[in-house]
Amino acid sequence: MESIDLAILAQLQAYQHCHRWIIAYSGGIDSTVLLYSLVSANQRLQSPKPIIALHINHQLSEFADQWQQHCQQTAQSLNIDYFSQKADVFSKGKGVEAAARDIRYQVFEQYLQPGDCLLMGQHRNDQAETLLFRLLRGAGVKGLAAMPISRPLGKAMLLRPFLDTRREDIECYAREHQLQWVDDDSNVNERYDRNYLRHQVLPVLKQRWPGVEGQLSATAVRMREADQLLEQLAQSDLQQLNVQMARCGSSLDLGQLVTLISPEASLLNQGLSDARVNNLLRYWCFSMGYPLPQSEHLEHIKSQFLNGNHLASSACVSWKQTECRQFGGRLYLMSTLPKFTEPNSVLKWNMETSLSLGVAGALHWVDVDQQDNSALRLVKRPYTIRWRQGGERCTPSHRQRSQTVKKLLQEYGLETWLRGRVPLIYMGTELVAVGDLWVNKGYEAPSETTGLLWQLGASNLLG
């Protein structure tokens, strides 16, 4: 077997627990060599897996349909399954390359099943280009780690078996096996940053440093090791801060964080340095799936919330549809809340199904444990949903006297940015419950096995 086939076989043997091999097949030389070598190596496994060639037609070239047809014919000639999907690419200000990449991964995650392994054809030269591109954009350690050889992708795995293979070796394999592939005309368009690096910058660097691509790839490996160490440090630091899931996003103990960065803690060698605070804030965002803040955002977060007057701060630090806020001594991280205006109309709810409240979330009727005293149980009847207009009063079931809803929301500790969105549940003109915070006296249903849930999740926030 050739070196490429041996490399693929070794990778497949490490992932034999996977159920199917899904190859991201564009029809270009890299994915074509990956496809042929995958078919060859799979036959040598003790338990060969089904192979599926997955082609995404971005419809960006006049030849896109021809490439799709070529990929289908190649898959048929190899007697493997084939799936293609056309995609609409909208740049939305981020550039065509980034937009096309985003749509590819959306299709991948939609198509992949639990236990699948998606194989992609990026090689050592691609890794060098990625690191150099990110370096020029000012990336930190995580960005300079470039592409990992494997990582989870939804409920499946992503594997890049060529990541330590040179482009020249892939081209040699294709010629020796007389393979047929398509040439994407956009790959020579130097208007795209990666193509400019590939055709103008890296060749000059190679003249001076012939092994530059291997060295850059090795640097990416070292950056990945450094990133893993930083993540472990951040995990240890976050464990001291009582991180909790919130109704929107996540929160941590702001008072404890302020204590850890105090001069007193530093004198005792127990404090967190400025760099360490930046590290834990970045990792907190990363672990929760939010975009990483830039340096200016981190400085704004620290100046607004990590000071002696942090409990009084009503600031909101925003970046890339993400924001940080403070409430009740906790720092909150969440997706940016869409603008909310109290509807004038009344919504009807029969409690048979969940009720969408648009950007105010949704009301759900969920099963609860009979022993769960925290569950909010309400008599099942038709209700109407309204929002605060001001001056509403009610008497929660555990109180003897009525109080304004405004005052009660303060007592219940609902975050200030959610108080205008909380749904008020009425039966006729009577206020029966407020969100899933409390049921008013006379409307309790302690024997109910279902409870009320007001949810402001990511899907709800999209309205």
Side-chain angles (χ1 to χ4, degrees):
M1 292 181 67
E2 299 182 43
S3 59
I4 282 185
D5 290 330
L6 287 171
I8 292 288
L9 180 59
Q11 295 281 358
L12 299 189
Q13 288 173 334
Y15 287 88
Q16 286 199 78
H17 59 281
C18 292
H19 301 158
R20 304 187 301 175
W21 309 123
I22 314 295
I23 177 170
Y25 183 38
S26 68
I29 187 171
D30 303 331
S31 63
T32 297
V33 170
L34 178 59
L35 178 62
Y36 276 84
S37 59
L38 172 63
V39 171
S40 174
N42 188 54
Q43 294 171 350
R44 291 172 170 80
L45 291 176
Q46 186 174 0
S47 299
K49 315 292 183 185
I51 298 176
I52 301 169
L54 174 57
H55 177 80
I56 301 172
N57 183 344
H58 296 95
Q59 306 180 93
L60 295 174
S61 169
E62 59 181 308
F63 307 110
D65 290 340
Q66 296 177 29
W67 299 340
Q68 180 176 332
Q69 185 178 14
H70 165 84
C71 291
Q72 183 174 3
Q73 292 172 346
T74 302
Q76 289 173 345
S77 71
L78 293 171
N79 197 30
I80 62 173
D81 291 333
Y82 171 82
F83 177 83
S84 65
Q85 181 167 324
K86 291 188 176 182
D88 295 315
V89 178
F90 302 102
S91 60
K92 297 180 181 179
K94 63 170 58 177
V96 174
E97 290 176 294
R101 179 189 180 278
D102 288 348
I103 197 67
R104 278 197 301 276
Y105 278 88
Q106 289 177 22
V107 174
F108 292 155
E109 293 202 43
Q110 291 169 3
Y111 182 80
L112 294 172
Q113 300 176 8
D116 283 347
C117 182
L118 175 71
L119 291 90
M120 303 185 72
Q122 291 102 338
H123 44 69
R124 180 189 291 183
N125 303 61
D126 292 323
Q127 183 76 312
E129 292 169 10
T130 298
L131 186 145
L132 189 57
F133 177 64
R134 293 182 179 179
L135 178 64
L136 293 171
R137 296 184 66 184
V141 172
K142 185 176 292 295
L144 296 180
M147 297 179 288
I149 192 168
S150 66
R151 68 173 177 86
L153 181 61
K155 297 179 180 179
M157 285 295 299
L158 185 155
L159 178 63
R160 298 182 174 98
F162 283 168
L163 208 53
D164 199 34
T165 301
R166 301 183 309 159
R167 176 185 286 122
E168 294 81 0
D169 295 331
I170 292 173
E171 293 172 347
C172 182
Y173 185 103
R175 288 192 300 268
E176 289 181 355
H177 289 77
Q178 299 182 335
L179 304 184
Q180 300 294 317
W181 63 88
V182 300
D183 287 314
D184 187 342
D185 51 315
S186 70
N187 286 336
V188 296
N189 187 343
E190 294 180 6
R191 180 168 60 91
Y192 299 127
D193 292 335
R194 283 182 174 273
N195 289 343
Y196 182 81
L197 288 174
R198 181 180 307 148
H199 299 298
Q200 295 294 334
V201 177
L202 278 167
V204 175
L205 294 177
K206 288 178 70 174
Q207 290 178 8
R208 180 78 178 189
W209 297 282
V212 63
E213 287 164 336
Q215 293 300 327
L216 289 173
S217 183
T219 296
V221 173
R222 290 190 286 272
M223 289 297 100
R224 185 158 301 281
E225 291 174 350
D227 183 53
Q228 290 172 350
L229 291 174
L230 290 172
E231 284 192 1
Q232 291 173 4
L233 180 62
Q235 290 169 359
S236 175
D237 290 339
L238 283 174
Q239 286 178 355
Q240 304 179 66
L241 301 178
N242 186 26
V243 177
Q244 299 176 2
M245 294 304 297
R247 195 180 291 270
C248 287
S250 172
S251 73
L252 56 76
D253 189 331
L254 185 55
Q256 177 65 8
L257 179 55
V258 170
T259 299
L260 289 173
I261 64 173
S262 65
E264 294 80 4
S266 298
L267 288 173
L268 296 172
N269 201 29
Q270 297 175 345
L272 303 183
S273 66
D274 195 56
R276 199 159 159 181
V277 172
N278 289 344
N279 182 54
L280 80 84
L281 289 174
R282 286 195 190 97
Y283 179 74
W284 185 31
C285 294
F286 173 75
S287 65
M288 296 303 301
Y290 294 108
L292 300 188
Q294 300 296 320
S295 297
E296 60 267 27
H297 303 126
L298 292 172
E299 292 305 315
H300 198 186
I301 290 172
K302 289 182 291 187
S303 66
Q304 290 293 332
F305 305 121
L306 304 186
N307 54 59
N309 199 31
H310 60 278
L311 292 178
S313 177
S314 60
C316 174
V317 180
S318 303
W319 69 95
K320 295 182 178 179
Q321 297 299 307
T322 306
E323 57 190 34
C324 262
R325 298 172 180 259
Q326 181 278 144
F327 176 75
R330 298 189 68 82
L331 185 64
Y332 286 78
L333 174 68
M334 69 190 83
S335 296
T336 299
L337 292 171
K339 185 178 179 180
F340 175 75
T341 303
E342 294 84 353
N344 294 323
S345 59
V346 173
L347 299 180
K348 296 181 179 180
W349 189 30
N350 59 14
M351 304 188 82
E352 296 298 328
T353 59
S354 297
L355 177 67
S356 173
L357 306 175
V359 296
L363 282 171
H364 304 284
W365 198 239
V366 296
D367 293 334
V368 294
D369 191 324
Q370 191 66 37
Q371 306 302 316
D372 183 3
N373 294 324
S374 65
L376 202 68
R377 296 178 172 87
L378 185 64
V379 175
K380 274 192 173 182
R381 293 177 184 171
Y383 294 102
T384 57
I385 310 301
R386 308 176 193 177
W387 280 266
R388 292 172 57 203
Q389 302 298 316
E392 296 90 355
R393 297 184 67 90
C394 60
T395 307
S397 59
H398 62 283
R399 297 173 69 113
Q400 298 302 317
R401 297 182 179 178
S402 69
Q403 183 57 273
T404 63
V405 170
K406 178 180 179 180
K407 181 67 174 177
L408 288 169
L409 290 176
Q410 295 173 1
E411 292 181 13
Y412 275 77
L414 184 66
E415 296 84 9
T416 51
W417 51 89
L418 297 181
R419 292 177 188 173
R421 300 168 189 263
V422 62
L424 306 185
I425 303 172
Y426 280 83
M427 186 170 64
T429 60
E430 291 294 320
L431 180 56
V432 172
V434 175
D436 58 3
L437 299 172
W438 71 82
V439 172
N440 290 327
K441 191 177 291 294
Y443 295 98
E444 312 94 319
S447 61
E448 283 283 353
T449 58
T450 48
L452 190 63
L453 174 66
W454 173 44
Q455 188 175 39
L456 270 165
S459 60
N460 299 127
L461 290 178
L462 294 175

